[in-house]
Amino acid sequence: MSKQIKLKKGFDIRLVGKAEKKIGDFQPVKTFAIKPTDFIGMQRPKVLVKEGDLVKAGTPILFDKKMEKVQYVAPVSGEIVEIKRGEKRKLLEIKILADSEIEFENFEKFTEGDVQAASREKIVDHLTATGVWPQLIQRPYGVVADPEDEPKAIFISGFDTHPLAPDYDFLLKGQANFFQTGIQALQKLTKGKIYLGLPGDHKSEVLSNTPGTEINYFSGPHPSGNVGVQIHHIAPISKGEVVWTIHPYGVVQIGKLLSNGIYDASKLIAITGSEIKTPLYAQTYTGSCVDSFVAGNTQSEKIRVISGNVLTGEKINRDGYIGFYQHQITIIPEGDYYEFLGWMKPTTEKLSYHKALGLLSFLFPKKEYALDSNARGEERAFVQTGVFESVTPMDIYPVYLLKAIMAEDFDEMEELGIYEVIEEDLALCEFVDVSKHPVQEIVRKGIELIQYS
């Protein structure tokens, strides 16, 4: 039975530059890249191609030696032009110079009856061999799901509350049939339920009528759209349990694979941020170079390009590549300057969660802000203020959890909820932290301590 869950804790970061629901006319993207660093937990990637090789969309290009069954494939057809490595030969990127017309590897097609009749083993084998399996993420740990596991449930968040997040109805417009086919395949992967979280304030045009799912409605400020928050309020994870999560785009991609027999990595991404002249959506493929969307489209030259959103995204170069799981790039001013008494000087142009001296944003709850990347301070003593709990709509104590991680106290970490969170669930704590701690880095450290202990 559906639940209506109203969350009061959290905070909406209101920024200038939300993408208008139109697809822009951008220059064609020439190069694409798969970045192993996008796949948390991948430790031993094995490259299957070499520079100069020709590939099609769906051609396997690497796998993780720890989970050899799962193939990572080319998003487009073209030539492998660079295999980029960093220190100690760490694999950073595999770049592809795309063909003007995309060619696809041909895979087996499934009718609706074929999906319903197929065994779990057949569905797993098909999804792992064709490149769509990495869309499935395991909780705890936030890593690519292990096909040998069987989750107690699968969770899908049907909306995003991060700053300037794309509109899912626009991203998925006209793809409801593929989404339903993907749901049918996911039903083969678990004996439990498939939970779909939707916003409580409006009806989703694409996702609201989805047989085979239990729909629950969430309202409230960010992070109400985080799948981790939704899991916590519907079916919390205990030690020893495994659930999987997947983005609605991943469900659609599975549906396209089964229906059309191809690995279709086409996607819409939102080009957002205060430094973009015209925030719009772009039609592209996974791993596209962002240069085509940024060049000549910014208000100034001193900018920061983020693959994703300002809370959880990754800083990239202007000619960098959008992350595998991202559907947004954000362009904000670079905050490479010192501001004397910046937090004390009275202003209404800076957004703050705190009602601090000089920061008057609380007087204008609906105003949108053009913020830069300046942290306005550096790491200092860990001050316990209670503010972390006020932005975390979960029954955990973030400060104590973070201190347990820093002390490497395994028992305390487990008791305080390390199995229920990944970085994005506590990202707001980093934003409101007066002590300027790298909260998300600390959370990942704790997860890895538990995972590999």
Side-chain angles (χ1 to χ4, degrees), residues 18-84:
K18 191 171 183 66
E20 187 180 355
K21 294 180 186 178
K22 292 182 180 180
I23 300 176
D25 185 19
F26 297 98
Q27 292 293 320
V29 178
K30 296 180 179 179
T31 59
F32 297 79
I34 288 291
K35 300 183 288 186
T37 51
D38 289 337
F39 309 105
I40 295 174
M42 179 182 282
Q43 295 182 329
R44 301 171 61 195
K46 171 67 174 178
V47 180
L48 299 174
V49 293
K50 60 183 183 296
E51 292 180 5
D53 284 354
L54 300 179
V55 296
K56 296 180 180 179
T59 300
I61 58 175
L62 76 145
F63 65 87
D64 188 350
K65 291 181 180 178
K66 290 182 60 179
M67 200 156 52
E68 296 186 6
K69 191 172 186 177
V70 179
Q71 300 292 309
Y72 297 80
V73 304
V76 295
S77 62
E79 179 186 354
I80 304 293
V81 291
E82 184 181 2
I83 299 175
K84 185 178 180 180

Side-chain angles (χ1 to χ4, degrees), residues 27-235:
Q27 292 293 320
V29 178
K30 296 180 179 179
T31 59
F32 297 79
I34 288 291
K35 300 183 288 186
T37 51
D38 289 337
F39 309 105
I40 295 174
M42 179 182 282
Q43 295 182 329
R44 301 171 61 195
K46 171 67 174 178
V47 180
L48 299 174
V49 293
K50 60 183 183 296
E51 292 180 5
D53 284 354
L54 300 179
V55 296
K56 296 180 180 179
T59 300
I61 58 175
L62 76 145
F63 65 87
D64 188 350
K65 291 181 180 178
K66 290 182 60 179
M67 200 156 52
E68 296 186 6
K69 191 172 186 177
V70 179
Q71 300 292 309
Y72 297 80
V73 304
V76 295
S77 62
E79 179 186 354
I80 304 293
V81 291
E82 184 181 2
I83 299 175
K84 185 178 180 180
R85 296 184 181 272
E87 294 182 3
K88 299 182 180 179
R89 292 189 55 76
K90 179 180 179 181
L91 182 62
L92 300 179
E93 295 173 344
I94 300 177
K95 298 181 183 179
I96 303 171
L97 178 63
D99 294 334
S100 55
E101 249 182 69
I102 304 301
E103 297 183 30
F104 297 90
E105 297 280 4
N106 292 314
F107 301 112
E108 181 182 357
K109 295 181 181 180
F110 288 69
T111 65
E112 181 178 343
D114 292 335
V115 176
Q116 293 175 347
S119 65
R120 182 183 191 277
E121 182 181 13
K122 182 170 183 178
I123 294 294
V124 169
D125 289 344
H126 191 62
L127 300 187
T128 53
T130 52
V132 297
W133 187 269
Q135 296 287 350
L136 287 161
I137 302 299
Q138 173 190 310
R139 294 287 189 107
Y141 310 138
V143 297
V144 174
D146 187 340
E148 302 301 321
D149 292 336
E150 185 169 334
K152 75 167 187 175
I154 297 176
F155 285 80
I156 306 165
S157 177
F159 66 110
D160 192 344
T161 51
H162 283 96
L164 303 178
D167 182 279
Y168 279 15
D169 277 339
F170 192 71
L171 290 184
L172 306 174
K173 186 176 181 180
Q175 305 194 67
N177 290 338
F178 292 126
F179 186 82
Q180 184 57 53
T181 301
I183 292 294
Q184 291 171 354
L186 295 178
Q187 288 177 308
K188 294 289 182 177
L189 304 181
T190 179
K191 294 175 183 173
K193 295 181 179 180
I194 297 176
Y195 295 98
L196 176 60
L198 294 180
D201 54 356
H202 75 275
K203 184 175 181 180
S204 170
E205 298 177 7
V206 178
L207 307 179
S208 290
N209 299 312
T210 307
T213 64
E214 179 180 300
I215 297 178
N216 297 286
Y217 297 91
F218 295 83
S219 58
H222 180 71
S224 60
N226 281 12
V227 70
V229 172
Q230 296 174 15
I231 292 171
H232 177 84
H233 287 276
I234 299 299

